[in-house]
Amino acid sequence: MRRNSLPILLFIMLFADALLLNAQPYDQRASKKTYQDIPLSRKKGSGPRYWIAYEYCWVNNKPIPEERWKKNIDWVNDNFKAFGYDMVSNDGWIEGAQTLNENGFITKYNSNWQFGFDYWAKYIADKGMKMGVYYNPLWLTKTAYHNNLPVKGTNYTSRDITGPVSFNSELYWVDVDRPGAKEWIQGYIRYFKEMGVNFLRIDFLENYENNYGLEKYNKALRWMREAADSTMMLSLVMPNCFNHGTTELKYGDMIRISDDCFNGGWEFTSGRRRGQSKHNWPQFANAFDGFVSFADIGGRDQMVRDGDFTRINTLLTENEKKFQISLLAMTGSPIAIADQFNTIGNDAWLYQNEELLSLNDEGFAGKPISYDINDAANSSRWIGQMPNGDWVIGLFNREETEQERGIDFVKELGLKKDGKYQVRDLWLHKELGGYSNTFSVKLLPHECRVIRITTNSSKYEAEVASLINGSKKQSDEEKASGIGYVNMKKDSSTVLIAVDVAKPKVYRLRVNYKNEDDSGSTSRIEIKSNDRSISLAPGSHPDWKLMNCDMYLEAGTNYIYITRYGKNGVDFKVDYIEIR
């Protein structure tokens, strides 16, 4: 079920270069970011569920007709809205949108349509859904250029802000260094927001960066983020993701991690150019490789990894179709239906698995055992924890032969040896019984298994949490619990863990850590919940050590940050936390 109220925030911040402290009031040292500062679209950790008009446009290489658009909206309302698919969006083939308002902003998806965005936004809202929009606010139409329309809020005109390189013959790029460009870009975003649009899909970003450079690209994204603030999700499409998405991470909410769906099928899911990467867009040609390689940037307060659209009707077998949906659910990706009312056949049920969809509802974003796309066995095993401590495991077979996949409860999940844990299959909707130590299964080619392990434990492994600002998963410590630990060598590096508790009260928090700073400075941990805070000094410990403190948690989901401040290059390692 969806939660209607925002979770309570907790911060745990680890400071380097602090003196030994006892529990004390908050000392007013300002943190670099608070959870309230994070755009609402990034807080959840997983992407939206929606329908998009891609399939018709791609197959026919032309804009979707308005009547077909309406039929698909009604079909989504009747068949998918009840399962949390609460948004519909246009897609590309946008060059025919040349009907403008007085400020040069497009008013329709296509000039041949009878109705404009405002009409369709209301039509969709009246059905209890939202309208997303595909458009890049860096675009300026040929009509806007020729009519030389005023830029709202300035004394400049559309020609004044047009750059020297165009996107194509119908759409020009805005040069962000020209006066009036900021007002144009931010005005476009606010124009859509005023219609009630809270999802903007911004395409062909690599084209702008390649033609105008990183500095201008960074400026453009910053302006978009400012205008979108916390109420609009910015979906960044076709980004180069240089330096592992460093620029995009600062400003976006969703980021494409692989090439387009195109004709769909197994090639799009797993096969296309498998095991190969490029330094620029598209770095990966199939969704699975992209999810593996960008696994470390996903999760709450990070980036939603976008595996593009799903055309379930193009996959050949039921196993392949389950594989595709399972991959999206395990990675925290959006689940974007591109099938249509007349192409989906009998496959709608695959989008309606409420046990898988509940992962998306709770912000689940798993991680592979290995981030190496050429480590076939380990990058095909995905794990993650729910806020209540349960483990969700995705076992995938990308190969053309039968494969055995499994998980070691003790070595890889950090669970107690010989404990009895209930395992549930999320496709069979069936309890498989109690398992001790391991679970394994033989998988046919292109088959997967998604299971949920009930642990009744409040131990949370740091390496599968959100790794922020340079925190890195490492696996070179034999005594670390689970598949590894998090090393926080960088100033302000952070781990974010979501924790559910049943009752509002004071709990004992235990952090298993290793502080290898022998330079004479110590690290300080600050724990903040609303207006409450305590500070503790964990000290230097070359071996794993449990640090204990008491903290108040509200009933429901609490967000716990562990942040290290201080000199770069000093190891500070976090293995897991426990709530007692």
Side-chain angles (χ1 to χ4, degrees):
M1 297 295 292
R2 293 195 170 206
R3 303 183 190 277
N4 295 321
S5 59
L6 285 176
I8 302 299
L9 163 70
L10 294 171
F11 285 95
I12 301 180
M13 298 179 181
L14 300 169
F15 291 84
D17 302 320
L19 297 175
L20 184 63
L21 297 167
N22 295 318
Q24 63 181 29
Y26 182 47
D27 67 358
Q28 304 301 314
R29 175 171 176 170
S31 60
K32 296 189 176 180
K33 184 195 296 184
T34 70
Y35 197 62
Q36 287 85 353
D37 293 332
I38 303 165
L40 291 173
S41 46
R42 294 183 74 158
K43 291 182 180 180
K44 181 183 173 186
S46 55
R49 302 199 291 274
Y50 68 107
W51 178 86
I52 191 157
Y54 173 81
E55 183 178 72
Y56 177 89
C57 301
W58 167 255
V59 171
N60 296 281
N61 196 27
K62 61 182 180 180
I64 188 170
E66 193 168 24
E67 181 57 31
R68 176 171 283 270
W69 162 258
K70 179 183 181 300
K71 286 182 179 179
N72 278 301
I73 293 171
D74 296 341
W75 170 68
V76 172
N77 179 70
D78 294 341
N79 293 276
F80 300 104
K81 184 178 72 175
F83 294 90
Y85 296 86
D86 59 359
M87 183 174 70
V88 297
S89 177
N90 67 301
D91 195 46
W93 290 261
I94 198 75
E95 286 81 357
Q98 298 285 338
T99 305
L100 313 177
N101 68 7
E102 67 277 10
N103 302 122
F105 302 153
I106 62 172
T107 61
K108 298 179 178 181
Y109 164 68
N110 188 275
S111 291
N112 291 327
W113 278 26
Q114 179 181 357
F115 300 113
F117 286 120
D118 53 353
Y119 172 89
W120 287 112
K122 184 179 185 305
Y123 182 85
I124 293 165
D126 287 345
K127 292 182 176 294
M129 298 187 292
K130 302 180 291 290
M131 184 177 76
V133 167
Y134 169 101
Y135 205 73
N136 191 329
L138 284 162
W139 282 332
L140 187 149
T141 65
K142 178 175 69 174
T143 302
Y145 180 85
H146 287 309
N147 292 344
N148 202 25
L149 296 172
V151 177
K152 185 178 180 180
T154 76
N155 294 322
Y156 300 101
T157 65
S158 51
R159 291 186 186 178
D160 294 329
I161 64 173
T162 303
V165 179
S166 296
F167 175 61
N168 58 29
S169 62
E170 304 299 315
L171 293 170
Y172 307 154
W173 286 122
V174 169
D175 187 337
V176 296
D177 278 353
R178 298 195 175 185
K182 181 178 182 179
E183 289 80 4
W184 172 273
I185 292 166
Q186 295 191 335
Y188 232 135
I189 288 179
R190 293 181 181 121
Y191 164 70
F192 286 126
K193 284 176 64 175
E194 288 168 3
M195 294 179 195
V197 173
N198 65 359
F199 176 87
L200 187 63
R201 193 165 179 86
I202 307 166
D203 206 355
F204 293 100
L205 290 172
E206 51 82 32
N207 187 288
Y208 192 84
E209 185 178 19
N210 292 345
N211 284 296
Y212 287 86
L214 174 60
E215 184 177 346
K216 291 185 179 183
Y217 175 61
N218 184 85
K219 184 188 292 187
L221 292 187
R222 174 164 51 85
W223 288 348
M224 292 181 201
R225 179 78 274 161
E226 291 171 358
D229 56 52
S230 64
T231 60
M232 175 181 274
M233 173 173 275
L234 298 182
S235 170
L236 307 184
V237 182
M238 293 179 64
N240 281 314
C241 288
F242 294 134
N243 297 317
H244 206 54
T246 299
T247 301
E248 291 80 8
L249 267 169
K250 289 188 292 185
Y251 306 116
D253 301 302
M254 276 171 50
I255 187 171
R256 279 282 301 282
I257 45 80
S258 60
D259 209 348
D260 292 6
C261 174
F262 299 138
N263 292 324
W266 183 252
E267 284 295 292
F268 162 65
T269 303
S270 177
R272 190 193 301 154
R273 215 175 76 216
R274 180 177 170 182
Q276 303 175 39
S277 64
K278 296 168 53 180
H279 80 283
N280 60 344
W281 172 264
Q283 292 190 8
F284 303 97
N286 70 79
F288 206 110
D289 280 359
F291 281 126
V292 170
S293 296
F294 284 105
D296 58 324
I297 69 169
R300 297 174 179 87
D301 190 10
Q302 282 283 80
M303 187 73 77
V304 174
R305 297 159 292 182
D306 180 4
D308 207 27
F309 318 129
T310 297
R311 298 178 61 197
I312 209 73
N313 67 82
T314 64
L315 290 157
L316 298 181
T317 67
E318 183 176 301
N319 279 342
E320 289 184 350
K321 295 172 184 182
K322 287 181 177 179
F323 188 111
Q324 170 73 13
I325 301 298
S326 300
L327 179 63
L328 300 177
M330 284 298 304
T331 57
S333 172
I335 304 178
I337 302 171
D339 308 90
Q340 302 171 80
F341 66 91
N342 65 332
T343 65
I344 197 168
N346 297 319
D347 288 337
W349 66 275
L350 290 148
Y351 291 111
Q352 298 168 343
N353 182 340
E354 292 183 284
E355 293 197 63
L356 277 183
L357 298 181
S358 71
L359 307 183
N360 180 270
D361 285 337
E362 293 199 52
F364 179 85
K367 291 179 168 58
I369 300 290
S370 170
Y371 293 172
D372 180 357
I373 58 176
N374 292 308
D375 182 354
N378 290 318
S379 66
S380 294
R381 299 188 298 137
W382 285 69
I383 64 176
Q385 271 188 287
M386 303 296 284
N388 72 346
D390 286 359
W391 283 92
V392 180
I393 313 299
L395 304 172
F396 296 90
N397 180 9
R398 304 176 67 185
E399 315 308 321
E400 302 304 317
T401 57
E402 184 180 271
Q403 299 286 316
E404 184 170 356
R405 297 279 185 264
I407 195 75
D408 188 306
F409 295 179
V410 181
K411 293 180 180 179
E412 294 174 323
L413 305 184
L415 297 177
K416 292 181 179 179
K417 186 176 182 180
D418 298 326
K420 204 76 167 178
Y421 301 100
Q422 289 298 313
V423 174
R424 181 173 178 83
D425 189 302
L426 301 191
W427 277 108
L428 295 177
H429 310 295
K430 178 182 177 181
E431 297 291 344
L432 303 182
Y435 283 74
S436 295
N437 301 330
T438 62
F439 175 91
S440 64
V441 63
K442 289 185 177 179
L443 297 173
L444 296 173
H446 306 179
E447 187 181 14
C448 73
R449 185 72 61 88
V450 182
I451 60 171
R452 182 165 180 160
I453 303 171
T454 301
T455 66
N456 297 315
S457 170
S458 54
K459 178 185 176 185
Y460 298 84
E461 292 288 337
E463 65 271 18
V464 295
S466 292
L467 308 183
I468 303 168
N469 293 337
S471 293
K472 299 293 184 182
K473 184 194 88 169
Q474 293 184 206
S475 305
D476 57 352
E477 293 270 3
E478 290 185 3
K479 294 182 180 180
S481 174
I483 60 170
Y485 61 93
V486 177
N487 200 347
M488 304 164 71
K489 286 188 174 185
K490 184 180 176 183
D491 175 56
S492 77
S493 53
T494 299
V495 176
L496 168 57
I497 301 173
V499 172
D500 272 357
V501 294
K503 297 178 180 180
K505 66 174 187 176
V506 175
Y507 291 82
R508 174 59 57 95
L509 170 68
R510 309 177 76 199
V511 180
N512 195 37
Y513 77 101
K514 180 185 285 191
N515 182 12
E516 299 183 1
D517 178 11
D518 57 2
S519 64
S521 61
T522 59
S523 294
R524 184 178 65 159
I525 181 169
E526 180 187 70
I527 305 166
K528 182 180 178 184
S529 173
N530 298 322
D531 295 329
R532 304 176 179 89
S533 95
I534 58 174
S535 295
L536 300 169
S540 178
H541 290 281
D543 297 316
W544 292 110
K545 179 179 177 62
L546 281 170
M547 177 174 54
N548 300 296
C549 61
D550 293 331
M551 60 188 303
Y552 180 84
L553 302 180
E554 293 283 357
T557 303
N558 300 266
Y559 290 90
I560 298 179
Y561 281 78
I562 304 176
T563 302
R564 173 191 176 273
Y565 291 106
K567 295 185 300 183
N568 289 324
V570 177
D571 286 342
F572 194 101
K573 303 175 180 180
V574 176
D575 188 13
Y576 62 83
I577 69 170
E578 286 184 294
I579 306 293
R580 294 189 171 188

Coordinates of all heavy atoms in Angstrom, one line a residue, residues 242-246 249 292-298 302 367-369 371 461-477 480 483-496 514 544 562-564 568-576:
F242 N 29.1 11.5 -18.3 CA 30.5 11.6 -18.1 C 30.8 11.5 -16.6 O 30.1 12.0 -15.8 CB 31.1 12.8 -18.8 CG 31.1 12.8 -20.3 CD1 30.7 14.0 -20.9 CD2 31.4 11.7 -21.0 CE1 30.6 14.0 -22.3 CE2 31.3 11.7 -22.4 CZ 30.9 12.9 -23.1
N243 N 32.0 10.9 -16.3 CA 32.4 10.8 -14.9 C 31.2 10.1 -14.0 O 30.9 10.6 -12.9 CB 32.7 12.1 -14.3 CG 33.9 12.8 -15.0 OD1 34.9 12.1 -15.2 ND2 33.9 14.0 -15.3
H244 N 30.7 9.1 -14.6 CA 29.7 8.3 -13.9 C 28.5 9.1 -13.5 O 27.9 9.0 -12.4 CB 30.3 7.6 -12.7 CG 29.6 6.3 -12.4 ND1 29.3 5.3 -13.2 CD2 29.1 5.9 -11.2 CE1 28.7 4.3 -12.6 NE2 28.5 4.7 -11.4
G245 N 28.0 10.0 -14.4 CA 26.8 10.8 -14.1 C 27.0 11.9 -13.1 O 26.0 12.3 -12.5
T246 N 28.2 12.4 -12.9 CA 28.4 13.4 -11.9 C 27.5 14.6 -12.0 O 26.9 15.1 -11.1 CB 29.9 13.8 -11.8 OG1 30.7 12.7 -11.5 CG2 30.1 14.9 -10.8
L249 N 23.7 13.8 -11.6 CA 23.3 13.5 -10.3 C 23.0 14.7 -9.5 O 22.2 14.7 -8.6 CB 24.4 12.7 -9.6 CG 24.4 11.2 -9.6 CD1 25.7 10.6 -9.1 CD2 23.2 10.7 -8.7
V292 N 23.3 -2.7 -14.0 CA 24.5 -3.2 -13.3 C 25.5 -2.1 -13.1 O 26.0 -1.9 -12.0 CB 25.1 -4.5 -13.9 CG1 26.4 -4.8 -13.3 CG2 24.1 -5.6 -13.9
S293 N 25.9 -1.5 -14.1 CA 27.0 -0.5 -14.1 C 26.6 0.8 -13.4 O 27.5 1.4 -12.8 CB 27.4 -0.2 -15.5 OG 27.9 -1.4 -16.1
F294 N 25.4 1.2 -13.3 CA 25.0 2.4 -12.6 C 24.3 2.0 -11.3 O 23.6 2.9 -10.7 CB 24.1 3.2 -13.5 CG 24.8 4.0 -14.5 CD1 24.7 3.6 -15.9 CD2 25.5 5.1 -14.2 CE1 25.4 4.3 -16.9 CE2 26.2 5.8 -15.2 CZ 26.1 5.4 -16.5
A295 N 24.5 0.8 -10.8 CA 23.8 0.4 -9.6 C 24.1 1.2 -8.4 O 23.3 1.4 -7.5 CB 24.1 -1.1 -9.3
D296 N 25.3 1.8 -8.3 CA 25.8 2.5 -7.1 C 25.2 3.9 -7.0 O 25.2 4.5 -5.9 CB 27.3 2.6 -7.1 CG 27.9 3.3 -8.4 OD1 27.3 3.1 -9.4 OD2 28.9 4.0 -8.2
I297 N 24.6 4.4 -8.1 CA 24.0 5.7 -8.0 C 22.5 5.7 -7.7 O 21.8 6.8 -7.7 CB 24.3 6.6 -9.2 CG1 23.6 6.1 -10.5 CG2 25.8 6.7 -9.5 CD1 23.6 7.0 -11.6
G298 N 21.9 4.5 -7.6 CA 20.5 4.4 -7.4 C 20.1 4.4 -5.9 O 20.9 4.2 -5.1
Q302 N 19.2 9.6 -4.3 CA 20.2 9.4 -5.4 C 19.4 9.6 -6.7 O 18.6 10.6 -6.8 CB 20.8 8.0 -5.3 CG 21.9 7.9 -4.2 CD 23.2 8.6 -4.7 OE1 23.4 9.8 -4.6 NE2 24.2 7.8 -5.1
K367 N 20.6 -3.9 -5.5 CA 21.9 -3.8 -6.1 C 22.4 -5.2 -6.4 O 22.1 -6.2 -5.8 CB 22.9 -3.2 -5.1 CG 22.6 -1.7 -4.9 CD 23.6 -1.1 -3.9 CE 23.5 0.4 -3.9 NZ 22.2 0.9 -3.6
P368 N 23.2 -5.3 -7.5 CA 23.8 -6.7 -7.8 C 24.9 -7.0 -6.9 O 25.5 -6.2 -6.3 CB 24.3 -6.5 -9.3 CG 24.7 -5.0 -9.3 CD 23.7 -4.3 -8.4
I369 N 25.1 -8.3 -6.8 CA 26.3 -8.8 -6.0 C 27.6 -8.2 -6.5 O 28.5 -7.8 -5.8 CB 26.3 -10.3 -5.9 CG1 25.1 -10.9 -5.3 CG2 27.6 -10.8 -5.2 CD1 24.9 -10.7 -3.8
Y371 N 29.2 -5.4 -9.5 CA 28.9 -4.3 -10.4 C 29.6 -4.5 -11.8 O 29.6 -3.6 -12.6 CB 29.4 -3.0 -9.8 CG 28.7 -2.5 -8.6 CD1 29.1 -1.4 -7.9 CD2 27.5 -3.1 -8.2 CE1 28.5 -0.9 -6.8 CE2 26.8 -2.6 -7.1 CZ 27.3 -1.5 -6.4 OH 26.7 -1.1 -5.3
E461 N 22.1 -3.9 6.4 CA 23.4 -3.9 5.7 C 23.7 -2.6 5.0 O 22.9 -2.2 4.1 CB 23.6 -5.1 4.8 CG 23.6 -6.4 5.5 CD 24.9 -6.7 6.2 OE1 25.9 -6.1 5.9 OE2 24.9 -7.5 7.2
A462 N 24.8 -1.9 5.3 CA 25.1 -0.6 4.7 C 25.3 -0.7 3.2 O 25.0 0.2 2.4 CB 26.2 0.0 5.4
E463 N 25.9 -1.8 2.7 CA 26.3 -1.9 1.3 C 25.2 -2.0 0.4 O 25.4 -1.8 -0.8 CB 27.3 -3.1 1.1 CG 26.7 -4.5 1.4 CD 26.7 -4.9 2.8 OE1 27.0 -4.1 3.7 OE2 26.6 -6.2 3.0
V464 N 24.0 -2.3 0.8 CA 22.8 -2.3 -0.1 C 21.9 -1.0 0.1 O 20.8 -1.0 -0.4 CB 22.0 -3.6 0.1 CG1 22.8 -4.8 -0.4 CG2 21.5 -3.7 1.5
A465 N 22.4 -0.1 0.9 CA 21.6 1.1 1.2 C 22.0 2.2 0.1 O 22.7 1.8 -0.9 CB 22.0 1.7 2.6
S466 N 21.5 3.4 0.2 CA 21.8 4.4 -0.8 C 23.2 4.9 -0.4 O 23.5 5.3 0.7 CB 20.9 5.6 -0.7 OG 19.6 5.2 -1.1
L467 N 24.1 4.9 -1.4 CA 25.5 5.4 -1.3 C 25.7 6.7 -1.9 O 25.6 6.8 -3.2 CB 26.4 4.3 -1.9 CG 26.2 2.9 -1.4 CD1 27.3 2.0 -2.0 CD2 26.2 2.8 0.1
I468 N 25.9 7.8 -1.1 CA 25.8 9.1 -1.6 C 27.1 9.9 -1.4 O 27.9 9.6 -0.5 CB 24.7 9.8 -0.8 CG1 23.4 9.1 -1.0 CG2 24.5 11.3 -1.2 CD1 22.3 9.6 0.0
N469 N 27.4 10.8 -2.4 CA 28.6 11.7 -2.3 C 29.9 10.9 -2.1 O 30.7 11.3 -1.3 CB 28.4 12.7 -1.1 CG 27.3 13.6 -1.3 OD1 26.9 13.9 -2.5 ND2 26.7 14.2 -0.3
G470 N 30.1 9.9 -2.9 CA 31.4 9.2 -2.9 C 31.5 8.0 -2.0 O 32.6 7.4 -1.9
S471 N 30.5 7.6 -1.2 CA 30.5 6.4 -0.5 C 30.6 5.2 -1.5 O 29.9 5.2 -2.5 CB 29.3 6.2 0.4 OG 29.2 7.2 1.4
K472 N 31.4 4.2 -1.1 CA 31.7 3.1 -2.1 C 31.5 1.8 -1.4 O 32.0 1.6 -0.2 CB 33.1 3.2 -2.7 CG 33.4 4.5 -3.5 CD 32.5 4.5 -4.7 CE 32.9 5.7 -5.6 NZ 32.1 5.8 -6.8
K473 N 30.9 0.8 -2.1 CA 30.8 -0.5 -1.6 C 32.2 -1.2 -1.8 O 32.7 -1.1 -2.9 CB 29.7 -1.3 -2.3 CG 29.6 -2.7 -1.7 CD 28.7 -3.6 -2.7 CE 29.6 -4.3 -3.7 NZ 28.9 -5.3 -4.5
Q474 N 32.7 -1.9 -0.8 CA 33.9 -2.7 -1.0 C 33.7 -4.1 -0.4 O 32.8 -4.2 0.5 CB 35.1 -2.0 -0.3 CG 35.5 -0.7 -1.0 CD 36.8 0.0 -0.4 OE1 36.9 1.2 -0.6 NE2 37.6 -0.8 0.2
S475 N 34.5 -5.0 -0.8 CA 34.3 -6.4 -0.4 C 35.6 -7.1 0.0 O 35.7 -8.3 -0.1 CB 33.6 -7.2 -1.6 OG 32.4 -6.5 -2.0
D476 N 36.5 -6.4 0.5 CA 37.9 -7.0 0.8 C 38.1 -7.2 2.3 O 39.2 -7.5 2.7 CB 39.0 -6.0 0.3 CG 38.9 -4.6 0.8 OD1 37.9 -4.3 1.5 OD2 39.8 -3.8 0.6
E477 N 37.0 -7.2 3.1 CA 37.1 -7.5 4.5 C 36.5 -8.8 4.8 O 35.2 -8.9 4.7 CB 36.5 -6.3 5.3 CG 37.2 -5.0 5.2 CD 38.3 -4.8 6.3 OE1 38.5 -5.8 7.0 OE2 38.9 -3.8 6.3
A480 N 33.7 -8.6 7.5 CA 32.5 -7.8 7.3 C 31.3 -8.6 7.1 O 31.4 -9.7 6.5 CB 32.7 -6.8 6.1
I483 N 27.8 -8.9 1.9 CA 28.7 -9.0 0.7 C 29.8 -7.9 0.8 O 30.5 -7.7 -0.1 CB 27.9 -8.8 -0.6 CG1 27.1 -7.5 -0.6 CG2 27.0 -10.0 -0.8 CD1 26.5 -7.1 -1.9
G484 N 29.8 -7.1 1.9 CA 30.8 -6.1 2.0 C 30.5 -5.1 3.0 O 29.7 -5.3 4.0
Y485 N 31.0 -3.9 2.8 CA 30.8 -2.7 3.7 C 30.9 -1.5 2.8 O 31.1 -1.5 1.6 CB 31.9 -2.7 4.8 CG 33.3 -2.6 4.2 CD1 33.9 -1.3 4.1 CD2 34.0 -3.7 3.8 CE1 35.1 -1.2 3.5 CE2 35.3 -3.5 3.2 CZ 35.8 -2.3 3.1 OH 37.1 -2.1 2.6
V486 N 30.7 -0.3 3.5 CA 30.8 0.9 2.8 C 32.0 1.7 3.3 O 32.1 1.9 4.5 CB 29.5 1.8 3.0 CG1 29.6 3.1 2.3 CG2 28.3 1.0 2.4
N487 N 32.8 2.1 2.4 CA 34.0 3.0 2.7 C 33.7 4.4 2.4 O 33.3 4.7 1.3 CB 35.2 2.5 2.0 CG 36.5 3.0 2.7 OD1 36.5 3.9 3.5 ND2 37.6 2.4 2.3
M488 N 33.8 5.3 3.4 CA 33.5 6.7 3.3 C 34.7 7.5 3.4 O 34.9 8.3 4.4 CB 32.4 7.0 4.4 CG 31.2 6.1 4.3 SD 30.2 6.1 5.8 CE 29.5 7.7 5.7
K489 N 35.5 7.5 2.3 CA 36.8 8.2 2.3 C 36.7 9.7 2.0 O 37.5 10.5 2.4 CB 37.8 7.6 1.3 CG 38.3 6.3 1.7 CD 39.4 5.9 0.7 CE 40.1 4.6 1.1 NZ 41.2 4.3 0.2
K490 N 35.6 10.1 1.4 CA 35.4 11.4 0.9 C 34.6 12.3 1.9 O 33.7 11.8 2.6 CB 34.7 11.4 -0.4 CG 34.5 12.7 -1.1 CD 33.8 12.5 -2.4 CE 33.5 13.9 -3.1 NZ 32.7 13.7 -4.4
D491 N 35.0 13.5 2.0 CA 34.3 14.5 2.9 C 32.8 14.5 2.4 O 32.6 14.6 1.2 CB 34.9 15.9 2.7 CG 34.2 16.9 3.5 OD1 33.9 16.8 4.7 OD2 33.7 17.9 2.8
S492 N 32.0 14.4 3.4 CA 30.5 14.5 3.2 C 29.9 13.2 2.6 O 28.8 13.2 2.2 CB 30.0 15.7 2.4 OG 30.3 15.6 1.0
S493 N 30.7 12.2 2.4 CA 30.2 10.9 1.9 C 29.1 10.4 2.9 O 29.3 10.5 4.1 CB 31.3 9.9 1.7 OG 32.1 9.7 2.8
T494 N 28.1 9.7 2.4 CA 26.9 9.4 3.1 C 26.3 8.1 2.8 O 26.4 7.6 1.7 CB 25.8 10.5 2.9 OG1 26.3 11.8 3.3 CG2 24.5 10.2 3.6
V495 N 25.8 7.4 3.8 CA 24.9 6.2 3.6 C 23.5 6.6 4.2 O 23.4 7.2 5.2 CB 25.5 5.0 4.4 CG1 24.6 3.8 4.3 CG2 26.9 4.7 3.9
L496 N 22.5 6.2 3.4 CA 21.1 6.5 3.8 C 20.4 5.1 3.9 O 20.4 4.4 2.9 CB 20.4 7.4 2.8 CG 18.9 7.5 2.9 CD1 18.5 8.0 4.3 CD2 18.4 8.5 1.8
K514 N 34.5 0.7 11.4 CA 35.9 0.7 11.6 C 36.5 2.0 11.2 O 36.3 2.5 10.1 CB 36.5 -0.5 10.7 CG 38.0 -0.6 10.8 CD 38.5 -1.6 9.8 CE 38.3 -3.0 10.2 NZ 39.0 -4.0 9.4
W544 N 36.7 -4.0 13.5 CA 35.3 -3.7 13.6 C 34.9 -3.6 15.1 O 35.2 -4.4 15.9 CB 34.5 -4.8 12.9 CG 34.7 -4.9 11.4 CD1 35.4 -5.8 10.7 CD2 34.2 -3.9 10.5 NE1 35.4 -5.6 9.4 CE2 34.7 -4.4 9.2 CE3 33.5 -2.7 10.6 CZ2 34.4 -3.7 8.0 CZ3 33.2 -2.0 9.4 CH2 33.7 -2.5 8.1
I562 N 24.1 8.5 7.6 CA 25.4 8.4 8.2 C 26.3 9.2 7.3 O 26.5 8.8 6.2 CB 25.9 6.9 8.4 CG1 24.9 6.1 9.2 CG2 27.3 6.9 9.0 CD1 25.2 4.7 9.3
T563 N 26.8 10.3 7.8 CA 27.7 11.2 7.0 C 29.0 11.4 7.6 O 29.1 11.7 8.8 CB 27.0 12.5 6.7 OG1 25.7 12.3 6.1 CG2 27.8 13.4 5.8
R564 N 30.1 11.3 6.9 CA 31.4 11.6 7.3 C 31.9 13.0 6.8 O 31.8 13.2 5.6 CB 32.4 10.5 6.9 CG 33.8 10.8 7.2 CD 34.8 9.9 6.5 NE 36.1 10.3 6.7 CZ 36.8 11.2 6.0 NH1 36.3 11.8 5.0 NH2 38.1 11.5 6.3
N568 N 39.7 14.1 3.1 CA 39.6 13.1 2.1 C 40.7 12.1 2.3 O 41.8 12.4 2.7 CB 39.6 13.7 0.7 CG 38.4 14.6 0.4 OD1 37.3 14.2 0.8 ND2 38.6 15.6 -0.3
G569 N 40.4 10.9 1.9 CA 41.4 9.8 1.8 C 41.5 9.0 3.1 O 42.4 8.1 3.1
V570 N 40.8 9.3 4.1 CA 40.9 8.6 5.4 C 39.8 7.5 5.4 O 38.6 7.9 5.3 CB 40.8 9.5 6.6 CG1 40.8 8.7 7.9 CG2 42.0 10.5 6.6
D571 N 40.1 6.3 5.6 CA 39.1 5.2 5.7 C 38.2 5.4 6.9 O 38.6 5.4 8.0 CB 39.7 3.8 5.7 CG 40.4 3.4 4.4 OD1 40.0 4.0 3.4 OD2 41.2 2.5 4.4
F572 N 36.9 5.4 6.6 CA 35.9 5.3 7.7 C 34.9 4.3 7.1 O 34.2 4.6 6.1 CB 35.2 6.6 8.0 CG 34.4 6.5 9.3 CD1 35.0 7.0 10.5 CD2 33.2 5.9 9.3 CE1 34.2 6.8 11.7 CE2 32.5 5.8 10.5 CZ 33.0 6.2 11.7
K573 N 34.8 3.1 7.7 CA 34.0 2.0 7.1 C 32.8 1.7 8.0 O 32.9 1.7 9.2 CB 34.9 0.8 7.0 CG 36.1 1.0 6.2 CD 37.0 -0.2 6.2 CE 38.3 0.0 5.4 NZ 39.2 -1.1 5.4
V574 N 31.6 1.5 7.3 CA 30.4 1.2 8.0 C 29.9 -0.2 7.4 O 29.8 -0.3 6.2 CB 29.3 2.2 7.9 CG1 28.0 1.8 8.5 CG2 29.8 3.5 8.5
D575 N 29.7 -1.1 8.3 CA 29.3 -2.5 7.9 C 27.8 -2.6 8.0 O 27.2 -3.0 7.0 CB 30.0 -3.5 8.8 CG 29.8 -4.9 8.4 OD1 29.3 -5.1 7.3 OD2 30.1 -5.8 9.2
Y576 N 27.2 -2.3 9.1 CA 25.7 -2.5 9.2 C 25.3 -1.7 10.4 O 26.1 -1.2 11.2 CB 25.3 -3.9 9.4 CG 25.8 -4.6 10.6 CD1 25.2 -4.5 11.9 CD2 27.0 -5.4 10.6 CE1 25.7 -5.1 13.0 CE2 27.5 -6.1 11.7 CZ 26.9 -5.9 12.9 OH 27.4 -6.5 14.0

